[in-house]
Amino acid sequence: MTSVLPTQQHAIGDGNDSINNTQLTRGSHDDDGLEGVFERLEVGVTEQDTSPLEYLLHGIRLWRLEYAQLRIFIPPMAKANLQARDDALFPLIDKVQEFLVSEREVMLILGDSGAGKSTYNRHLEHKLWTEYYEGGPIPLYIHLSTIDNPAQDMIEKQLQILDIPDDHIQELKELRQFILICDGYDESQLTANLHKANCLNQLGEWRAKMIISCRSQFLDSDYLDRFVPETTNHHKAIRMDLFQEAVITPFSESQVKDYVEQYVPLEPRIWVTEDYMRMLTKIPNLMDLVRNPFLLTLALEVLPAITKQKEDFSTIRITRVHLYDIFVVHWLNVNKQRLESNTLSAEDRIVYDHLLDAGFIYMGIDYSTRLASAIFEKQDGNPLVQYIHVQDQNTWKAKFFGMDPEVRLLQESAPLTRSGNYFLFIHRSMQEYFFSRVIYSPVETDENEFDPQVETAAPASFLFDGSSPLFQRNLLKEHSIIQFLCDRVNLIPEFEKQLRAVIDQSKTDASVTIAATNAITILVKAGANFNGANLRNVKIPGADLSSGQFDSAQFQGADLTGVNLTQSWLRQANLSGALMEDQWTVVPTRPMENCWQWV
């Protein structure tokens, strides 16, 4: 049988699954899928006991129950939609159950990066397969980035990935109903309405309920068109009665404690639950940061090292980007120790020594940074990379997954997960973190592994490299990357100066327009002040300047086409001669005095 595509991220989901020591020291994880499942597991039925199709489904059920089992799971809370109050919460599990027994056909689950969407989907798949009965609805987990064009024949393609024969696929289409768990709409950069494009529940087509997850930040204000079912008649009206949504909310402090209580017994540890909770509450702002489940996972892995030999915890400052910095160095150091203790071949030992001479941490970070850059450049950010040596040895992929000993050692030490010939970062945000380092990377050494206060400015020439993604790629839709760069701005004054220099350069050099748009968006989101700034003739079309501070700013002759200035402070700002698509008016929107507001 052919190998099965990864339908999960093995090492870490996007929320509640923990990282254990084995995962820290494994460069890959091979998933044998259905092949051999009947030999490895007690099947409990034979082909004589049931139909051939049910026998096959029974094997899939056993495999998926083993595969979707979570080491840690904290039931998430959610709210009804993005506009709902943050205190109007309900258990997501209950709402999904209501959806499954209702007449609705699509349920959209939104949440921030790392909020626990994929982890919940994995839990849901396990629950549905546990409750499965012969002839009942079939759970089908689909990691959308593994499907080539999921807007067409999505279910059939996923069943083919599972090696289900064509005659059984046709039988399933004609006779059975599915519960589709579609994970990662944003990772696939989709814009299509998958329910509509796949003609679900139309005459002669697949019968299915669809649960689909997506990052909140990926969607614009009219996102419902991408998910709400439509009528099948010529009027094509949307059917809100067939649609439901929920937004996963951050952990409460009690959920954080529940997570820690499940985390501690998984591995031998020096600390107990009370130790972790004490540090999470003592270190300023850390508890707010770790209400995001994935960030909590990272924090728990590195907290003992961060606080080692520290007496005054109130002086420790940890931001989101710090957690990633520290975790990545920790991951690479653990793998360095693994290689040091392993019995390596003579060739591998020579290569490993060369990596040590060059700086193992530096080389490991460089590998992952280059890989993230290549994924965005070659695959437009699609996180899943397939490498088949015979086919790909002369492509860009060989630099990261080829047979060269140095490439292999770095790949096995990187924060990646593997299933057969497929590779991806352990979490989408890890890929975005490394991509942000392509734009701005602090100077680091092995010696400051766990010091979150150590941050050294990168050379300005690196930022002004025209091949940098800052100059080549519009980052406005990449909210997680923007956030990483905002954290860098707040840590390194020199980085802010460099971004301001890019904006100034756009006044006379149209070739840096994309970079200037990115730069001013990053600075505004980082809280930089532009009151009284000379922004004459800047070229920043499409920039997101919402909630920015631009009192008395000079925008004469600036290119502000498509700029978002919602809720920005613009008192006495001079916009004469500025290029804008829309109109401005003066309205009393703030209690102090009239200000310009976008309308």
Side-chain angles (χ1 to χ4, degrees), residues 17 55 88 100 118 230 310 383 396 431 453 462 534 558 577 590:
D17 220 359
Y55 183 72
L100 291 175
S118 294
E230 290 185 354
K310 299 279 187 180
W396 65 272
Q431 175 179 308
Q453 313 310 318
F462 179 76
N534 177 9
R590 304 194 188 272

Side-chain angles (χ1 to χ4, degrees), residues 253 256 260 271-288 290 296 299-300 302-314 316 318:
E253 189 166 336
V256 171
V260 176
W271 286 12
V272 297
T273 299
E274 290 72 20
D275 296 321
Y276 284 102
M277 292 302 298
R278 183 171 66 255
M279 294 304 168
L280 290 174
T281 53
K282 277 191 173 184
I283 296 175
N285 303 316
L286 185 56
M287 181 59 76
D288 288 337
V290 301
L296 174 59
L300 295 181
V302 300
L303 261 178
I306 292 174
T307 57
K308 188 177 181 180
Q309 298 179 340
K310 299 279 187 180
E311 295 183 1
D312 185 2
F313 301 113
S314 65
I316 299 176
I318 301 179

Side-chain angles (χ1 to χ4, degrees), residues 247-266:
V247 182
I248 295 178
T249 55
F251 273 175
S252 65
E253 189 166 336
S254 64
Q255 285 177 300
V256 171
K257 185 177 181 181
D258 290 344
Y259 185 102
V260 176
E261 288 175 343
Q262 292 186 36
Y263 168 86
V264 169
L266 294 179

Side-chain angles (χ1 to χ4, degrees), residues 322-336:
H322 270 145
L323 276 181
Y324 284 78
D325 286 341
I326 298 164
F327 174 79
V328 164
V329 175
H330 174 56
W331 178 291
L332 290 169
N333 265 322
V334 170
N335 277 277
K336 181 172 73 171

